[in-house]
Amino acid sequence: MIRVKVRLFATLRENRDKEIMIELTDGATLLDVIEHLNIPKEQASLLLINGKFAKFDEALKDNDTVSIFPPIGGG
């Protein structure tokens, strides 16, 4: 098992804490984090692992910090 800290931003914080510690199986990916938190994949547009850009299929290590941002709107 690995433990990762997940930081959520903007609308992803609705009905969730802004920072969450979760346990996952070894070899878990960012997609596993998103599914664990019941976040629709299209709502996670910017993903970071330890402050570096990442993709859905990137594997996590124990004590990583994951940041998830929703799509940015504007006009």
Side-chain angles (χ1 to χ4, degrees), residues 1-2 6 16 19-20 26 28-30 33-34 37-38 45 59 69-70 72:
M1 295 294 281
I2 61 170
V6 182
R16 297 182 185 98
E19 201 169 277
I20 306 162
D26 292 339
T29 65
L30 280 173
V33 171
I34 290 164
L37 297 174
N38 297 315
S45 68
F69 295 82
I72 305 298

Side-chain angles (χ1 to χ4, degrees), residues 1 3 5 10 15 17 29 32-33 40 45 49 54 60 62 66 70:
M1 295 294 281
R3 288 176 51 96
K5 181 191 305 182
N15 301 315
D17 292 330
T29 65
D32 294 319
V33 171
S45 68
I49 299 174
L60 298 165
D62 197 36
V66 172

Side-chain angles (χ1 to χ4, degrees), residues 31 51 58 66 73:
L31 186 57
E58 290 200 39
V66 172

Side-chain angles (χ1 to χ4, degrees), residues 6-71:
V6 182
R7 299 177 69 207
L8 301 173
F9 294 86
T11 55
L12 296 178
R13 289 183 177 173
E14 292 173 10
N15 301 315
R16 297 182 185 98
D17 292 330
K18 70 178 187 176
E19 201 169 277
I20 306 162
M21 288 296 293
I22 61 174
E23 287 190 2
L24 300 163
T25 57
D26 292 339
T29 65
L30 280 173
L31 186 57
D32 294 319
V33 171
I34 290 164
E35 289 173 349
H36 180 85
L37 297 174
N38 297 315
I39 297 172
K41 189 175 176 182
E42 62 275 2
Q43 289 296 312
S45 68
L46 176 60
L47 307 169
L48 305 174
I49 299 174
N50 301 323
K52 296 181 181 172
F53 291 108
K55 296 182 180 175
F56 288 107
D57 61 352
E58 290 200 39
L60 298 165
K61 297 183 298 290
D62 197 36
N63 295 317
D64 277 346
T65 299
V66 172
S67 301
I68 305 172
F69 295 82

